[in-house]
Amino acid sequence: MLVFLLAITLAFAGTALLAYNLIPLARVAAGRGLPARRVDPSQVPSLVFRLTYPATDRLATLLHRLKWTNYRTKMAIELKRAGLGDAITVDHLLALKLLTAILVPFVASRLFAIFSNPAIFLLAAIGAFYLPDHLVAEQRKSRERQILRALPG
């Protein structure tokens, strides 16, 4: 079991290093005419976004061309309401959706035997795809409650 976990960890690290070298942020952003934004991940309020920021920041430049106008408009407003709008863009959110839809079912299938069933695996992938939207909504609710508590009276 330990050898298997080590193999999975090394495979993940190798894939991450390959992606890091294949997707250099500044060159890709400059080539597409996008401004290269540098944000300190420690300034991101949510722990999940803070932990995944390096990977989502790299993938966000690739997802910029994805046309999903209604979703982009709605989530840009939600991100600002959640207090994430300065550091996290809709492209970062889409990258996180992609990462969670891929990684969560694989990790769950290794931890729990029930996720080895293809139907359950697919349901986990679909649920994980919507997880970042839920995280943004929860962050927004938390921020709204915090603002209401800070109001006088």
Side-chain angles (χ1 to χ4, degrees):
M1 182 68 179
L2 183 63
V3 174
F4 180 73
L5 289 174
L6 182 62
I8 293 292
T9 303
L10 289 174
F12 178 77
T15 305
L17 285 172
L18 180 66
Y20 179 81
N21 288 316
L22 290 178
I23 310 170
L25 177 64
R27 189 177 68 200
V28 172
R32 293 187 177 171
L34 301 173
R37 295 175 11 137
R38 282 285 164 215
V39 174
D40 183 18
S42 65
Q43 301 300 320
V44 180
S46 174
L47 178 66
V48 174
F49 287 108
R50 206 172 25 245
L51 291 175
T52 59
Y53 190 81
T56 57
D57 195 39
R58 297 264 179 200
L59 288 173
T61 57
L62 298 175
L63 296 171
H64 182 71
R65 291 189 180 184
L66 185 62
K67 302 287 186 229
W68 213 353
T69 55
N70 290 339
Y71 179 79
R72 285 182 177 277
T73 305
K74 179 183 137 196
M75 289 315 291
I77 294 168
E78 286 292 313
L79 285 169
K80 288 195 185 312
R81 286 182 179 167
L84 300 169
D86 295 333
I88 303 294
T89 64
V90 178
D91 294 328
H92 288 98
L93 189 63
L94 289 171
L96 186 60
K97 287 170 81 78
L98 179 68
L99 284 176
T100 56
I102 293 170
L103 292 178
V104 168
F106 281 112
V107 171
S109 69
R110 296 295 163 212
L111 295 176
F112 307 107
I114 188 80
F115 288 97
S116 298
N117 182 338
I120 304 288
F121 187 89
L122 183 62
L123 287 174
I126 292 169
F129 182 78
Y130 289 106
L131 182 63
D133 293 339
H134 178 71
L135 292 173
V136 170
E138 288 300 314
Q139 182 74 24
R140 178 188 51 82
K141 289 176 187 174
S142 172
R143 185 169 184 239
E144 287 174 353
R145 282 192 298 268
Q146 183 182 12
I147 290 171
L148 285 175
R149 274 190 240 120
L151 289 174

